[in-house]
C-alpha cells in the first residue's frame, strides 16, 4: 500500500484531515464569538483577526444550520448601506457553548499530553 | 453589480426551494460586504471575478446549503434500500423461475427462449428502477427510517461465513457421474432404450439420438465448471454467475428434450401426464408400441424431475448471488 502513496496523495490527505479538524472546532468558535450580534462578514473578520481563517462557503451554511437547531437567532437589519442578517447566540446555544467549552478544554489537555509523548 | 446578481441567481437555481429567497438575499449581502471591504471607491470587475472564484462555482455553493447533501438515496435510507432491493429481486427471480419450470413442464407451446430471457432481464431492471424511484421520493420528502438502538447479544452473531466453501466429495461424484453418462451417450447411443424380451428388437429413444450433441455440450460444460471449482477451491462471484448461466443452459436443454418427448408422445396418442394409464393394457400385451410409449413417458418424467431440481438449484444460486452482491457489492470486482 505504502509504495503507492506518493507525496501528492499524502498532501491531499493532509489537506483533507486539516479541513476536518477545523470544521470540527468551527461550531465552538462561532458560538463563542456571537455573544453580541454580528453579520456574516463581520464574524469572518472577527475570527480572522483572532487567528482563525475560515472559508466563507463553510460559514454561511453553518450559521443557518445552527439557527435551525435553535442555537442561534437571527434578524435582518436594514440600517446601513444595505440589509444585513445579524446572528446572535440563543439561550440554548449558551448552554451548549458551556458544555462544549468544558469538553474542549479536557480534550486539548489530553491531546497535548498525547502529542508530547509522541514528540 | 451585475456579476454579483448573476452569480446569486445562478446559485438560486440549485438551492432548496424552501429557503431560496432568504439564502439568496444573505448571499448577496455577504458578497457586497466583502467587496465593500476591499475598496469603497467602486469595485472593478476584476475584483468581483476574483471574489466569486474564491467563493466557488454556483453549484458548489448551493450544494453546501443542502442539509443532508444531495443524494438520490442518502446514507440514512441506503441500508433499508439495500434490504428491500435484495428481498424484492430475489423473490422476483425465484417466482419467475418457478413459472418457467411450470411452463416448460406443462405448457403446450414451446417457450420463445430469447424473448423470455430478454423480457426477464427487462422486468428485473424495471423492478429495480421502481424501487429506486420510491426511495428517491422518500429521500426527497426527507423521510427518516427509525433507527433502533436495540439491545443485542454478541452470542447471537452468525457463525463464521463458510458459504463459499465447496464440497470436494460432491463435486468428484458429480464429475464421475457426468463422465459415465457421457460415455453411455457417446459409446452406446443405439442402446438407449429397453429390450422388451429376448430376441425382440431394441427400442431406441429417437429424441435423445436427435439431441445428442446438445446433451454432450451441456455435460461437458458442467464438467468444466466442476473442474474450475476444484481448482479455485471455493465459490466466488465469477463461478456463481458461471454456474447460474450454465444452469440456465441446462434448463434450456432439458426443456427442448421435454418438449420433444411431449411431441413424440402426443403423436403416439398420449396427451397428458397421466394418460399413461390408458396405454397400460397395451403394455400388458407386450406390444412393442405400448412399451415404447411407456419408456418414453418414463424418460419424460425423469426429465421433469431433472428440470424441477435444476430450477430450484438455480433459484437458490440466484438468491445467494443477489444477496452476496447486495451485501458486498465490491465482491463483483474483487473476485471475478
Amino acid at each position: 500500500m505504502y509504495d503507492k502513496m506518493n507525496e501528492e496523495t499524502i498532501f491531499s490527505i493532509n489537506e483533507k484531515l486539516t479541513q476536518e479538524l477545523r470544521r470540527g472546532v468551527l461550531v465552538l468558535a462561532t458560538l463563542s464569538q456571537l455573544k453580541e450580534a454580528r453579520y456574516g462578514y463581520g464574524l469572518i473578520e472577527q475570527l480572522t483577526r483572532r487567528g482563525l481563517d475560515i472559508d466563507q462557503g463553510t460559514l454561511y451554511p453553518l450559521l443557518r444550520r445552527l439557527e435551525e437547531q435553535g442555537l442561534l437567532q437571527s434578524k435582518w437589519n436594514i440600517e446601513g448601506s444595505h440589509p444585513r442578517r445579524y446572528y446572535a447566540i440563543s439561550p440554548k446555544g449558551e448552554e451548549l457553548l458551556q458544555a462544549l467549552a468544558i469538553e474542549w478544554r479536557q480534550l486539548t489537555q489530553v491531546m497535548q499530553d498525547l502529542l508530547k509523548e509522541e514528540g | 453589480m451585475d456579476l454579483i446578481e448573476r452569480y446569486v441567481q445562478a446559485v438560486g437555481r440549485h438551492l432548496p426551494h424552501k429557503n431560496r429567497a432568504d439564502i439568496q438575499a444573505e448571499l448577496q449581502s455577504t458578497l457586497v460586504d466583502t467587496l465593500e471591504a476591499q475598496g469603497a471607491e467602486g469595485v472593478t470587475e476584476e475584483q468581483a471575478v476574483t471574489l466569486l472564484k474564491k467563493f466557488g462555482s454556483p453549484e458548489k455553493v448551493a450544494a453546501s446549503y443542502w442539509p443532508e447533501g444531495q443524494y438520490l438515496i442518502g446514507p440514512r435510507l441506503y441500508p433499508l434500500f439495500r434490504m428491500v432491493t435484495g428481498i424484492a429481486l430475489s423473490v422476483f427471480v425465484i417466482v419467475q423461475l418457478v413459472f418457467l419450470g411450470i411452463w416448460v413442464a406443462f405448457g403446450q407451446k414451446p417457450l420463445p427462449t430469447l424473448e423470455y430471457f430478454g423480457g426477464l432481464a427487462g422486468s428485473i431492471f424495471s423492478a429495480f428502477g421502481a424501487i429506486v424511484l420510491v426511495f428517491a421520493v422518500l429521500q426527497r420528502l426527507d423521510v427518516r427510517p427509525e433507527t433502533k438502538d436495540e439491545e443485542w447479544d454478541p452470542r447471537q452473531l452468525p457463525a463464521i461465513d463458510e458459504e463459499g466453501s465447496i464440497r470436494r466429495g460432491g463435486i468428484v461424484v458429480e464429475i464421475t457421474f457426468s463422465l459415465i453418462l457421457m460415455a453411455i451417450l457417446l459409446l452406446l447411443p443405439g442402446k438407449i432404450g429397453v429390450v422388451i424380451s429376448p430376441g425382440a428388437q431394441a427400442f431406441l429413444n429417437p429424441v435423445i439420438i436427435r439431441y445428442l450433441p446438445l446433451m454432450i455440450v451441456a455435460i461437458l460444460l458442467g464438467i468444466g465448471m466442476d473442474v474450475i471449482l476444484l481448482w479455485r477451491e471455493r465459490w466466488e462471484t465469477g463461478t456463481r454467475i458461471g454456474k447460474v448461466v450454465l444452469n440456465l443452459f441446462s434448463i434450456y436443454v432439458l426443456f427442448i428434450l421435454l418438449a420433444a418427448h411431449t411431441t413424440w408422445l402426443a403423436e403416439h396418442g398420449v396427451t397428458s401426464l397421466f394418460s399413461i394409464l390408458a396405454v397400460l393394457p397395451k403394455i400388458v400385451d407386450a406390444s412393442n408400441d405400448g412399451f415404447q410409449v411407456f419408456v418414453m413417458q418414463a424418460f419424460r418424467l425423469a426429465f421433469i424431475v431433472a428440470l424441477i431440481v435444476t430450477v430450484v438449484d438455480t433459484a437458490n444460486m440466484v438468491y445467494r448471488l443477489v444477496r452476496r452482491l447486495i451485501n458486498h457489492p465490491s465482491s463483483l470486482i474483487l473476485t471475478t
Side-chain angles (χ1 to χ4, degrees):
Chain A
M1 270 309 249
Y2 286 106
D3 54 343
K4 283 186 191 164
M5 223 183 246
N6 55 30
E7 264 180 45
E8 201 180 325
T9 54
I10 290 176
F11 177 75
S12 75
I13 290 170
N14 177 15
E15 203 174 27
K16 204 175 159 217
L17 291 179
T18 308
Q19 215 173 23
E20 273 174 32
L21 271 179
R22 283 169 163 272
R23 204 170 285 165
V25 301
L26 207 57
V27 172
L28 189 54
T30 304
L31 289 178
S32 75
Q33 298 304 305
L34 286 176
K35 288 189 175 155
E36 59 177 278
R38 291 179 199 277
Y39 61 97
Y41 187 74
L43 178 61
I44 285 182
E45 275 192 320
Q46 166 74 3
L47 288 171
T48 312
R49 225 178 3 250
R50 304 288 296 267
L52 187 67
D53 264 332
I54 178 172
D55 177 25
Q56 304 213 35
T58 314
L59 182 72
Y60 296 108
L62 174 72
L63 289 173
R64 299 192 78 91
R65 262 201 293 282
L66 293 177
E67 191 188 9
E68 271 170 31
Q69 290 165 347
L71 304 172
L72 295 181
Q73 292 162 334
S74 82
K75 62 175 183 205
W76 282 96
N77 188 333
I78 47 172
E79 291 162 18
S81 59
H82 60 269
R84 285 176 178 135
R85 187 175 200 140
Y86 278 73
Y87 290 91
I89 194 162
S90 71
K92 193 175 151 191
E94 279 279 5
E95 251 173 68
L96 184 79
L97 176 62
Q98 303 298 332
L100 280 180
I102 293 169
E103 183 66 34
W104 174 256
R105 286 190 190 108
Q106 285 173 350
L107 200 60
T108 45
Q109 189 58 54
V110 172
M111 284 311 298
Q112 261 172 5
D113 290 349
L114 286 177
L115 293 175
K116 210 184 286 169
E117 283 168 26
E118 272 296 301
Chain B
M1 168 125 265
D2 184 38
L3 258 185
I4 301 291
E5 270 157 30
R6 277 161 59 196
Y7 181 76
V8 170
Q9 178 187 286
V11 173
R13 290 211 182 96
H14 306 282
L15 284 174
H17 184 71
K18 203 171 79 182
N19 301 321
R20 185 177 298 159
D22 197 45
I23 293 172
Q24 281 180 305
E26 189 175 17
L27 185 62
Q28 173 130 14
S29 154
T30 305
L31 290 166
V32 172
D33 272 334
T34 316
L35 282 176
E36 276 181 4
Q38 288 181 4
E41 305 293 316
V43 177
T44 64
E45 190 174 289
E46 207 65 29
Q47 280 175 306
V49 168
T50 313
L51 173 70
L52 295 181
K53 277 197 162 182
K54 201 175 156 215
F55 248 76
S57 72
E59 291 84 0
K60 192 185 136 204
V61 170
S64 63
Y65 282 96
W66 286 87
E68 258 199 81
Q70 289 167 292
Y71 293 106
L72 185 63
I73 296 165
R76 278 176 208 272
L77 282 173
Y78 187 70
L80 187 65
F81 166 73
R82 213 172 62 173
M83 193 178 82
V84 170
T85 310
I87 294 171
L89 290 189
S90 305
V91 168
F92 183 79
V93 169
I94 289 166
V95 167
Q96 284 291 326
L97 285 172
V98 168
F99 274 126
L100 176 67
I102 292 171
W103 174 287
V104 169
F106 303 110
Q108 296 297 314
K109 286 184 213 155
L111 181 81
T113 318
L114 203 64
E115 284 99 29
Y116 176 78
F117 285 106
L120 184 63
S123 313
I124 289 173
F125 279 117
S126 310
F128 181 70
I131 298 170
V132 170
L133 196 66
V134 168
F135 273 84
V137 170
L138 290 179
Q139 175 72 31
R140 188 82 185 164
L141 298 175
D142 201 20
V143 175
R144 295 170 187 204
E146 270 182 52
T147 43
K148 281 183 274 180
D149 218 5
E150 286 173 351
E151 276 289 308
W152 68 286
D153 183 358
R155 280 167 294 206
Q156 301 290 316
L157 289 169
I160 290 166
D161 183 12
E162 282 179 6
E163 65 175 317
S165 60
I166 56 165
R167 283 174 298 148
R168 280 170 174 280
I171 291 178
V172 171
V173 170
E174 210 171 277
I175 293 179
T176 314
F177 271 103
S178 299
L179 286 173
I180 293 172
L181 182 61
M182 201 164 69
I184 292 173
L185 288 172
L186 283 175
L187 302 174
L188 312 162
K191 301 281 170 18
I192 302 163
V194 177
V195 180
I196 304 153
S197 55
Q201 206 183 355
F203 155 66
L204 306 179
N205 184 328
V207 173
I208 291 195
I209 289 173
R210 194 185 338 152
Y211 291 108
L212 200 57
L214 202 57
M215 291 175 74
I216 298 289
V217 169
I219 294 169
L220 275 177
L221 286 173
I223 293 174
M225 185 78 222
D226 285 341
V227 170
I228 290 174
L229 274 177
L230 282 180
W231 169 52
R232 301 296 293 177
E233 294 185 332
R234 58 181 288 115
W235 283 103
E236 293 160 320
T237 308
T239 37
R240 281 179 214 270
I241 292 173
K243 178 76 176 164
V244 168
V245 172
L246 189 64
N247 273 14
L248 290 175
F249 179 66
S250 302
I251 290 171
Y252 171 69
V253 173
L254 284 169
F255 158 71
I256 288 179
L257 289 168
L258 199 54
H261 276 84
T262 306
T263 312
W264 188 94
L265 283 165
E267 282 165 5
H268 290 76
V270 182
T271 46
S272 86
L273 205 57
F274 303 103
S275 59
I276 186 70
L277 294 172
V279 293
L280 268 177
K282 289 188 193 167
I283 295 164
V284 177
D285 287 349
S287 88
N288 213 5
D289 262 10
F291 208 83
Q292 267 197 3
V293 168
F294 181 76
V295 171
M296 289 298 275
Q297 184 69 287
F299 266 98
R300 182 162 80 149
L301 279 174
F303 283 128
I304 288 175
V305 171
L307 195 62
I308 291 171
V309 170
T310 315
V311 165
V312 170
D313 184 40
T314 312
N316 187 26
M317 291 290 302
V318 169
Y319 170 74
R320 278 160 179 267
L321 187 65
V322 170
R323 200 181 60 178
R324 193 178 157 73
L325 286 182
I326 286 171
N327 288 337
H328 317 279
S330 57
S331 62
L332 189 63
I333 302 152
L334 293 178
T335 56
T336 48

